[in-house]
Amino acid sequence: MAKRVPAIAVHTATAVLALAPPALLYQVGWLTVPALSTDQLQAWVHQPLTAGFIAMLGYAGAWALWVLLMAAVTNHAHRYLTARLRWHLTLHLPGPLQALAAALLGTTAVTTAAALPAVAHGHTAADTDPPPADRATPIRDAPGQPRPPADPSPPRQVSTATSTTATAVPPSPTTDSARHASQPVLTRTSAHPPPHTSGEMVRVVAGDNLWDLAAEHLGDATRWREIYALNRGHRQANGYALTNPHTLHVGWKLTIPAQATPAPALPRPEPPAAGNSGPAAPEAETTPSAPSIPHISPAPQPSTPNASAPRTPAGTTGATTSTVHPERPYTEPYDETGVVLPTRGWISLGLAAAIAAVATLLRLQRRRHARLALATAASTAPHPAPVPPPLAHVDAIGHCHLGLTSNHQQLAPPTVPAPIGVDGNGTEVSLFRLPGSGFALHGEGAVPAARAILAAVLTTGAADTASVRPVVVTTADLLAQLLPAEASVEGLDPDGTAYDGERLIVLADTDAAVTHAEEEMTSRRRLLDTFDTTTIADVNVRSDHAETPPPYVLLIEPATRYAGRVQAIATHRSALDLHPIVLGPHHGLPTIEITRDGNTRSDPHLMSRVSTMSAENLAAVLAMLTDVQARPEPGVDIDDPAATTPTAPAVEACPVPPEDPSALVHLRVLGPVTVTTAAGPVTTGMRSGSYTVLAVLAAHPAGRTLHQLAADLHPDVNSASAVKRVRTDITTARRVLRTATGHDEPMFIVFDPATGRYRLDPQTVTVDLWHMLTAINHATTSDNDDETLAALRRATDLYAGDFAEGHDHAWAVDYATSYRHQILTAYAHIAEILEPDRPDRAVAALERATDLDPVNEELYQRIMRIHGRQQRPDAVRRTLRRLEERLADLADTEPSQATRRVAERQLLPAVSRAGRTS
């Protein structure tokens, strides 16, 4: 049997090699720096190849080699001591010197082995020496912090996709990743798989742990010890072995034990509707032992591109993992340039943003008409989204792309007007900025592309004044071809009875449409002559005229008899802002050949892909535009007996946990998300994503599955990557909260195996949202005005701002609307209690509510009514004027007829008003 080289011999030889050079250099007199004069330096510059210069180079080189040797020895000693003593100090050699230092250390080892007695043939140091222990990254949440308990944490969903990315839960987010990147790599020539391979083989990805693997593949998270026992000590491909259940390397292949009997499948709830929290999770975990999460260390080998989370190409199904999660709600795929619709459609991010802007405008319109009356029970459920289900994901993606907020009515415009597709570089292409004289659509995707173009034009400028919104002129037959067969063509006109309105002009046939375009062309040409300008754009920047011609789009079918007239219109496209589009081949106009998925066969630099849309999706967009159309509205009069029933959207009741004063963590989600412990606010260590995860779970006391969290928080990210982000955020939140509270045992975010949901532990976390809703519930059940008033004031004091303010994710908008509406109702009820004895304080409460929601008309009606009863006509006029100013920003909206009637009643003389009342 081969003999191992004694460690003392190796260390002795290394010490000799380290100390010999200084001794030799001392003997030859090179330990003293030779005196250098200016003349000598100048002589060396003119004639460098002299004996003295060469001696100086040898002197410097010898010392440099010795310094490198000492650096290599020091680095090796540091690694040895780190492994034995678990030091945290990290030494870094300069990047260019790492390879040279490794070579010197290797040379030293070879020289030492040659000088000592030869060992048996076939054995090397790589075969006999175990890998350094520090390569496995000992488990420490952060330098100086206590180690977590020995068992893994409650299960989380796991993906079996291959990944070689960095760890999802680094022990130290700021230093450990750099430490691993700078360490030398120890490679092995072969892997040693476990001897028992009767079970399933899985590959470890960032975020995995033994607890999750057992829950996923064995149906019981507590069986993680079986996986550990089966794989313990078996060397992996990167040369390391599983010796600590807390430490896994990305890329390891672990064998899952074969199940003697099929494990019972965890019950999976049906995909819930928006805002449905599903069945409530138990108040406390029932699983045994809830220790900390085992860390996954990145494998110490050169990283490769992440193969587990590729960008979903347009037109694919978006499935990127081998594990199917029945509880995950359906979400459409997303790529860098657009969103794939479920009906084989695709729209660019610019069009998604325009649709999201319309959806935001529609939410504001609904808030404007919301009635204020205390519900039977407050709820954490969101208000129903105003977006039709086929466009819900488009709204989420567009919301992220446009950066819309939940409370502001100043809507940011899309990146380009009328976005209809992307060019070869993925840049948004505007219909109004295309070169040429118009175009014709041809091919299998021509009709879906025409639908998307119509949606892009009509959604552009939806929140602007009517004078600058683009106009589309088309025919009744063509519009019927673009819409579903059963669609009712009505809603965009001023009376709400047809699509033939100011923005979408529907004419009888092609002849009428072309004639209308010719008349518009003549009118615009005369306008240019009047102001002596060359383009409509030049006219629109002037301020000495009232007319502002908007972009004009002519969408017709091909007809040979009108080809010349259409060509004449197209000639003036750039100057007059007229844009003819022919659905079919047309002689004289450039033709864009469109495939079924929207790809073009023309110049890719001009237009690579065109947005396409189904008839149902176009009808949904037109329905949204109909609802936000500014038109005279009757409204609801608060003094009308027939309108006493509240019309606020119904929300599902969801019980909230009771207050627990002994909770370790206080979470605030009303306003900016903040976390506070007994030691004060938590200001460091928490990821931005961890805050949003806490906010989502606060809005879902019953819990949320891993994939629901991923779909909520990262709708614009590949599903596998989104899941990994959420798992990392959960782990980080637990780690930071344990450090901040000084308690290693609590989970704070617990997992319920029965429902597959994560939820906040109400025994360790208390939430201001829950306290606010509890106070509102108490007010609704109290018969005493003083108790009711105290409860409502407590609720209003807790409301510090919109839900998750500063984290304007699409999912948060409808939740913020729900909580805002409930607090507005609380203010309205406070005013009702205060008005008889303290009218001024009642007005102050209502004005505070108008600051929270500037567009709700009932608040202004209540204020005007109090001012009228107190004989304050000027205050009534000021209140109405304030409402008019705030609604003017809402797409030229005006107060409803009912609100104006309330104002007129309060302006009547007191005697007349008293007579009307009597």
Side-chain angles (χ1 to χ4, degrees):
M1 178 177 293
K3 297 176 60 180
R4 181 186 297 271
V5 177
I8 186 63
V10 176
H11 297 159
T12 301
T14 303
V16 170
L17 291 176
L19 299 177
L24 294 175
L25 293 175
Y26 177 81
Q27 293 296 327
V28 298
W30 280 12
L31 280 179
T32 59
V33 179
L36 297 177
S37 63
T38 305
D39 296 336
Q40 190 175 6
L41 291 175
Q42 292 178 351
W44 280 353
V45 171
H46 290 88
Q47 181 59 269
L49 297 179
T50 63
F53 182 77
I54 294 175
M56 178 61 67
L57 290 180
Y59 173 89
W63 277 112
L65 290 175
W66 182 81
V67 169
L68 290 176
L69 176 61
M70 290 304 300
V73 171
T74 302
N75 187 43
H76 179 75
H78 164 260
R79 295 182 182 279
Y80 177 82
L81 293 175
T82 298
R84 292 302 179 94
L85 303 179
R86 296 186 179 272
W87 288 0
H88 294 290
L89 179 63
T90 300
L91 299 178
H92 296 283
L93 287 176
L97 298 182
Q98 291 184 18
L100 182 58
L104 285 174
L105 186 58
T107 303
T108 302
V110 173
T111 305
T112 304
L116 296 172
V119 297
H121 176 71
H123 289 268
T124 65
D127 295 327
T128 57
D129 294 339
D134 65 324
R135 303 285 177 82
T137 310
I139 292 303
R140 294 185 183 273
D141 287 341
Q145 295 177 1
R147 292 168 55 87
D151 292 331
S153 64
R156 296 179 295 176
Q157 301 299 330
V158 63
S159 167
T160 57
T162 302
S163 174
T164 56
T165 57
T167 175
V169 190
S172 176
T174 57
T175 62
D176 286 354
S177 61
R179 180 179 66 199
H180 287 300
S182 64
Q183 289 178 346
V185 177
L186 179 65
T187 59
R188 301 286 182 177
T189 57
S190 62
H192 301 271
H196 305 289
T197 58
S198 58
E200 178 186 1
M201 183 77 72
V202 298
R203 189 180 182 89
V204 176
V205 299
D208 282 345
N209 57 70
L210 297 181
W211 184 279
D212 286 350
L213 293 175
E216 178 68 25
H217 298 281
L218 301 179
D220 183 1
T222 60
R223 296 181 62 187
W224 64 268
R225 295 178 179 83
E226 299 178 27
I227 303 178
Y228 176 64
L230 183 60
N231 294 274
R232 182 178 182 180
H234 298 296
R235 188 174 299 164
Q236 298 287 335
N238 64 348
Y240 303 97
L242 177 60
T243 58
N244 186 338
H246 286 269
T247 303
L248 304 179
H249 285 178
V250 173
W252 277 3
K253 293 183 178 180
L254 301 180
T255 300
I256 304 299
Q259 301 186 48
T261 58
L266 295 179
R268 300 291 191 184
E270 293 296 325
N276 184 8
S277 317
E283 290 298 325
E285 286 187 294
T286 58
T287 56
S289 74
S292 64
I293 298 174
H295 288 246
I296 298 180
S297 304
Q301 55 190 7
S303 61
T304 59
N306 184 1
S308 68
R311 277 290 186 182
T312 306
T316 64
T317 62
T320 57
T321 61
S322 59
T323 304
V324 178
H325 300 275
E327 83 283 1
R328 184 188 176 193
Y330 173 78
T331 56
E332 294 80 10
Y334 163 84
D335 61 22
E336 292 87 345
T337 59
V339 183
V340 178
L341 302 177
T343 53
R344 294 188 61 89
W346 176 90
I347 63 174
S348 68
L349 290 181
L351 180 52
I355 294 174
V358 176
T360 300
L361 190 62
L362 184 54
R363 288 182 172 94
L364 289 169
Q365 292 284 15
R366 289 191 175 184
R367 284 165 48 184
R368 173 188 165 208
H369 298 298
R371 300 299 308 280
L372 305 177
L374 285 176
T376 55
S379 173
T380 60
H383 271 201
V387 183
L391 298 179
H393 194 61
V394 174
D395 175 39
I397 298 295
H399 192 105
C400 297
H401 183 63
L402 199 55
L404 298 174
T405 61
S406 59
N407 190 34
H408 299 91
Q409 61 239 45
Q410 296 290 344
L411 302 182
T415 53
V416 298
I420 62 172
V422 296
D423 60 16
N425 298 322
T427 305
E428 293 286 342
V429 175
S430 170
L431 170 65
F432 305 143
R433 298 173 185 172
L434 282 173
S437 56
F439 56 88
L441 301 175
H442 187 57
E444 192 176 3
V447 172
R451 296 189 185 108
I453 290 174
L454 180 60
V457 174
L458 294 178
T459 55
T460 296
D464 297 331
T465 59
S467 60
V468 298
R469 298 174 193 164
V471 174
V472 180
V473 176
T474 188
T475 64
D477 291 341
L478 179 54
L479 186 60
Q481 183 181 352
L482 301 180
L483 291 172
E486 68 279 3
S488 56
V489 185
E490 59 183 25
L492 293 182
D493 66 311
D495 298 328
T497 58
Y499 281 147
D500 185 15
E502 296 179 351
R503 301 196 59 197
L504 179 58
I505 302 173
V506 184
L507 301 176
D509 51 28
T510 303
D511 179 70
V514 173
T515 300
H516 189 282
E518 290 173 333
E519 293 172 352
E520 184 69 21
M521 179 181 65
T522 301
S523 173
R524 296 188 178 207
R525 177 56 65 184
R526 289 174 180 171
L527 188 63
L528 295 184
D529 294 340
T530 300
F531 291 98
D532 194 20
T533 56
T534 57
T535 67
I536 289 296
D538 296 334
V539 174
N540 289 341
V541 297
R542 298 171 65 101
S543 59
D544 55 353
H545 67 96
E547 187 175 2
T548 305
Y552 182 101
V553 178
L554 176 65
L555 180 60
I556 57 175
E557 293 181 287
T560 305
R561 59 183 298 185
Y562 305 116
R565 298 166 63 184
V566 173
Q567 188 64 36
I569 297 171
T571 304
H572 301 278
R573 174 178 179 268
S574 298
L576 302 181
D577 210 3
L578 301 176
H579 307 275
I581 302 175
V582 179
L583 184 55
H586 183 86
H587 179 70
L589 290 180
T591 300
I592 300 179
E593 188 76 17
I594 306 175
T595 63
R596 184 176 182 181
D597 59 0
N599 291 321
T600 65
R601 294 173 180 164
S602 57
D603 183 2
H605 297 288
L606 177 64
M607 180 85 72
S608 173
R609 191 170 189 182
V610 181
S611 297
T612 57
M613 187 177 285
S614 67
E616 291 74 17
N617 288 336
L618 175 59
V621 171
L622 294 179
M624 293 170 60
L625 290 169
T626 296
D627 291 339
V628 301
Q629 185 83 357
R631 56 171 60 94
E633 299 181 57
V636 179
D637 191 332
I638 58 173
D639 294 324
D640 185 358
T644 56
T645 302
T647 59
V651 294
E652 179 186 357
C654 180
V656 297
E659 298 185 39
D660 187 354
S662 63
L664 298 174
V665 174
H666 298 272
L667 173 64
R668 295 186 64 90
V669 295
L670 298 174
V673 181
T674 59
V675 179
T676 306
T677 66
V682 177
T683 57
T684 59
M686 193 78 77
R687 294 164 53 95
S688 174
S690 298
Y691 283 115
T692 55
V693 166
L694 292 173
V696 175
L697 296 179
H700 290 273
R704 204 80 169 144
T705 67
L706 188 66
H707 287 278
Q708 288 172 338
L709 289 169
D712 287 340
L713 300 178
H714 307 290
D716 55 344
V717 177
N718 173 273
S719 59
S721 299
V723 166
K724 292 175 183 176
R725 289 190 189 182
V726 172
R727 296 171 73 175
T728 301
D729 293 336
I730 292 175
T731 302
T732 301
R734 287 169 170 165
R735 174 175 56 82
V736 172
L737 294 179
R738 286 169 178 158
T739 302
T741 60
H743 291 74
D744 294 336
E745 298 79 11
M747 295 301 297
F748 300 103
I749 301 175
V750 297
F751 180 81
D752 186 354
T755 60
R757 297 170 184 257
Y758 290 87
R759 60 182 177 85
L760 296 178
D761 181 4
Q763 296 181 355
T764 57
V765 181
T766 181
V767 184
D768 60 342
L769 172 64
W770 300 349
H771 300 168
M772 184 193 79
L773 298 180
T774 300
I776 293 177
N777 285 334
H778 179 68
T780 60
T781 58
S782 175
D783 296 330
N784 185 285
D785 283 350
D786 292 336
E787 291 183 4
T788 300
L789 188 60
L792 293 175
R793 282 176 170 168
R794 171 169 168 73
T796 57
D797 290 341
L798 288 168
Y799 191 85
D802 278 343
F803 174 73
E805 187 175 303
H807 298 272
D808 293 305
H809 296 271
W811 67 270
V813 176
D814 296 318
Y815 291 87
T817 301
S818 177
Y819 308 146
R820 187 191 307 109
H821 179 265
Q822 294 182 69
I823 210 65
L824 295 182
T825 300
Y827 275 114
H829 200 55
I830 288 174
E832 290 178 357
I833 297 175
L834 294 177
E835 182 182 356
D837 300 324
R838 290 164 284 181
D840 290 339
R841 298 185 64 178
V843 170
L846 293 172
E847 288 182 343
R848 168 60 180 153
T850 61
D851 293 336
L852 299 177
D853 195 340
V855 299
N856 183 270
E857 291 198 31
E858 183 174 331
L859 291 173
Y860 296 90
Q861 291 184 18
R862 289 174 177 267
I863 294 174
M864 290 188 293
R865 186 172 62 180
I866 295 176
H867 284 316
R869 291 171 178 173
Q870 298 299 315
Q871 304 295 312
R872 302 168 183 167
D874 291 340
V876 173
R877 296 187 184 95
R878 284 196 304 270
T879 303
L880 181 61
R881 187 161 53 249
R882 188 186 312 122
L883 176 61
E884 291 173 341
E885 292 171 353
R886 289 176 169 177
L887 292 182
D889 296 332
L890 195 60
D892 289 338
T893 304
E894 295 183 354
S896 65
Q897 298 170 5
T899 299
R900 294 193 181 277
R901 285 197 305 271
V902 172
E904 292 171 358
R905 271 200 312 271
Q906 309 312 316
L907 293 174
L908 292 174
V911 176
S912 175
R913 187 166 60 251
R916 288 174 60 92
T917 304
S918 60

